[in-house]
Amino acid sequence: QVQLVESGGGLVQPGGSLRLSCAASGSIFSIYAMGWYRQAPGKQRELVATITSGGSTNYADSVKGRFTISRDNAKNTVYLQMNNLKPEDTAVYYCNRYPHEYDSWGQGTLVTVSS
C-alpha cells in the first residue's frame, strides 16, 4: 500500500516562490517516474511536471521556466520548486507515479497565489 504525503503549500503573493515536497512510502520509489499534478477549483486535475527515474524532466507549457521538479531517491521524496507564481497557479497540488498513477492519492497541498 503506497502512501503519498504532500507538503509545503501556503499563501504567497504573485511573483513569490514555494517549494513543495512529496514523501512516498510503501513502494519501490526509485524505479518509477513521478509527476506533480494540480487541481484548481472547478477544474479537472492536470499534469504539471514529470521526472523519470534517471532524472529527465518535462513540464506543462504553463509552468515551463518557472517550476523545477527534482527527486531524492535516498529520501523517497520528490520536490517541486515553484518560482514567479501567478494567481492561475492556485490549486491543490498532488504527486503520484507517472504515467500509471497509484489508485490512492495523497491529501494534496493547497497553494494560493493572491495579493
Side-chain angles (χ1 to χ4, degrees), residues 58-104:
N58 214 337
Y59 300 92
D61 287 343
S62 58
V63 307
K64 203 170 292 184
R66 300 188 297 121
F67 290 10
T68 303
I69 188 171
S70 61
R71 66 191 297 163
D72 185 336
N73 289 335
K75 295 182 178 180
N76 279 13
T77 300
V78 61
Y79 305 97
L80 187 68
Q81 177 67 43
M82 306 187 296
N83 298 329
N84 191 21
L85 283 160
K86 303 177 180 181
E88 51 264 42
D89 295 319
T90 294
V92 179
Y93 284 72
Y94 305 86
C95 71
N96 208 323
R97 190 173 63 176
Y98 175 82
H100 305 293
E101 297 94 351
Y102 296 113
D103 291 337
S104 176

Side-chain angles (χ1 to χ4, degrees), residues 19-57:
R19 189 193 194 206
L20 307 184
S21 299
C22 169
S25 61
S27 179
I28 307 172
F29 174 82
S30 63
I31 67 172
Y32 295 119
M34 295 293 293
W36 278 99
Y37 304 74
R38 68 185 181 187
Q39 187 166 19
K43 295 188 177 181
Q44 289 190 326
R45 185 155 48 205
E46 63 173 344
L47 180 65
V48 173
T50 62
I51 185 166
T52 67
S53 58
S56 296
T57 59

